[in-house]
Amino acid sequence: MSNPALAAWLRLTLIPGIGGETQRQLLKVFSDPEAIFAATPSALRGALGGGMVERLLTHDCSKEIEATLAWAAQAGNRLLTLADAEYPQALLSAADPPILLYAKGDVTWLNHPACAIVGSRNATKQGEANAEAFAAALSAAGLTIVSGLAAGIDAAAHRGALTGKASTVAVIGTGIDRIYPARNEGLAREIAAHGTIISEFSLGTPPLAANFPRRNRLIAGMARGCLVVEAAKQSGSLITARLAAEAGREVFAMPGSIHSPQSKGCHALIKQGAKLVESAQDILEELRWEHVVNPAAIAAVAEAETDPLLVALGRDPCDLDTLAARSGLPADVLLAQLLPLELDGRIAQLPGGRYQRLN
């Protein structure tokens, strides 16, 4: 695509007050952005109101276009329009597909079979471990993991996916030149090197609260299914799950403790018909995916289930006195046995002297 043509696509997206629905309506009438801007005011009024026509023809965004084209000329950066073959084809059947996406990384992942994994920003250590393990298993089985690069579950899902062969796509709610939260900058660089980051928002767009629910529809639309790992009752992850269901995608939810606020949203989804999952294989079977999870990973889980101390610890946070009563072991012996499990990453010590399993 020549720069004048790409500049016309950019111009159409950068005019305030001309939203996605209007942009697509104009494209339906005039075929491409260059034809839109070449049309006469009277022809444009047939598709738009008078005030919008004036804004369309007079708003000056030349500086933003020039800066964006310079960004797109850098290695690893792309602008993808609805007319590009690399544009995520799954979004074409989803609600409100953006006419232009900013991409950084390998855009071939955007059309690879995918599963979304989302969840709480304030995740428990167990939740993060579960998200990372599920993402690693699904990526190893050949499914790209789509998530939102937020703290907590999203970041854990991206980390797990990067260990597998199918990598990951991060859909962000800021301009692609800004990473939020800042703590995920290193992870973002790794995703750009081995997966893909995309945004529909123009360069420099800050982390505005209203933009994150909008990006959730892209996460839901790009994937065959959506797994919610942890979510409070009012979690934004439930928006993603609803959008996935409305787009005809499968919705999965991971159950948790009845006492944990971070499990309430998942339990509500299950009551509403989301499929309860206990392993990555549950997802693969529901999606009719032919691959299987790494047998070694399954064996490691089975081995962990036979450890008597882990069995006594259970799945919920547990204090030392309760664990002593369950296991029949004195506190000094328990501490000696818990330390190597913590060093191996199989348990975590929580505030208040409690312990919790991580796998």
Side-chain angles (χ1 to χ4, degrees):
M1 179 180 293
S2 64
N3 276 356
L6 191 52
W9 283 94
L10 276 168
R11 182 182 174 188
L12 185 57
T13 65
L14 292 171
I15 299 172
I18 306 293
E21 185 176 353
T22 303
Q23 293 164 12
R24 290 190 297 275
Q25 177 61 27
L26 285 167
L27 290 172
K28 185 177 180 180
V29 174
F30 295 100
S31 300
D32 65 68
E34 287 186 293
I36 294 171
F37 294 110
T40 64
S42 59
L44 289 170
R45 286 191 200 95
L48 295 175
M52 294 183 75
V53 170
E54 183 179 359
R55 187 182 309 138
L56 184 77
L57 295 178
T58 62
H59 180 77
D60 183 10
C61 49
S62 56
K63 290 183 178 179
E64 294 97 323
I65 292 171
E66 183 179 356
T68 304
L69 291 175
W71 174 88
Q74 298 174 24
N77 296 347
R78 288 286 304 276
L79 293 171
L80 299 176
T81 75
L82 286 174
D84 290 314
E86 297 95 338
Y87 184 94
Q89 298 301 295
L91 289 182
L92 299 180
S93 62
D96 193 20
I99 70 165
L100 184 142
L101 289 171
Y102 299 73
K104 180 179 283 288
D106 183 356
V107 296
T108 60
W109 293 117
L110 301 179
N111 284 295
H112 197 271
C115 180
I117 298 181
V118 296
S120 174
R121 287 174 168 82
N122 301 308
T124 66
K125 290 187 177 181
Q126 179 70 68
E128 290 187 6
N130 287 340
E132 188 165 345
F134 270 61
L138 294 173
S139 179
L143 286 172
T144 295
I145 301 303
V146 181
S147 196
L149 199 58
I153 296 301
D154 287 16
H158 289 306
R159 288 195 299 270
L162 286 167
T163 68
K165 65 182 181 181
S167 196
T168 189
V169 172
V171 186
I172 61 175
T174 63
I176 203 163
D177 56 336
R178 302 187 63 167
I179 298 300
Y180 178 83
R183 76 181 84 161
N184 283 344
E185 285 186 5
L187 177 59
R189 285 193 295 270
E190 192 173 356
I191 294 172
H194 303 286
T196 323
I197 303 174
I198 63 170
S199 174
E200 66 178 306
F201 301 106
S202 60
L203 298 182
T205 300
L208 303 174
N211 289 347
F212 291 93
R214 282 191 56 75
R215 72 88 197 266
N216 289 351
R217 83 191 192 287
L218 303 186
I219 296 173
M222 288 182 63
R224 298 184 176 193
C226 177
L227 168 65
V228 182
V229 176
E230 282 187 338
K233 275 189 174 181
Q234 303 302 320
S235 172
S237 301
L238 303 186
I239 297 175
T240 310
R242 175 178 58 79
L243 293 170
E246 290 175 355
R249 276 50 167 179
E250 299 287 350
V251 177
F252 309 100
M254 190 178 295
S257 169
I258 61 172
H259 306 293
S260 171
Q262 302 292 27
S263 298
K264 299 297 184 183
C266 290
H267 292 170
L269 287 174
I270 292 168
K271 290 176 183 177
Q272 294 164 13
K275 295 169 178 63
L276 184 155
V277 297
E278 298 176 308
S279 71
Q281 192 65 42
D282 292 338
I283 296 173
L284 296 173
E285 290 174 357
E286 194 66 35
L287 294 178
R288 296 181 175 86
W289 193 246
E290 296 296 327
H291 303 268
V292 297
V293 178
N294 185 342
I298 297 174
V301 173
E303 180 183 354
E305 294 294 342
T306 64
D307 187 308
L309 186 54
L310 291 177
V311 171
L313 183 58
R315 293 290 176 179
D316 291 339
C318 180
D319 60 60
L320 199 62
D321 290 340
T322 301
L323 186 57
R326 289 177 183 174
S327 64
L329 298 173
D332 57 339
V333 174
L334 280 177
L335 289 171
Q337 293 187 12
L338 288 169
L339 180 58
L341 291 174
E342 186 175 0
L343 294 175
D344 287 343
R346 300 172 75 179
I347 66 170
Q349 188 171 2
L350 306 178
R354 298 177 302 158
Y355 293 85
Q356 185 174 29
R357 288 180 60 172
L358 295 181
N359 54 43

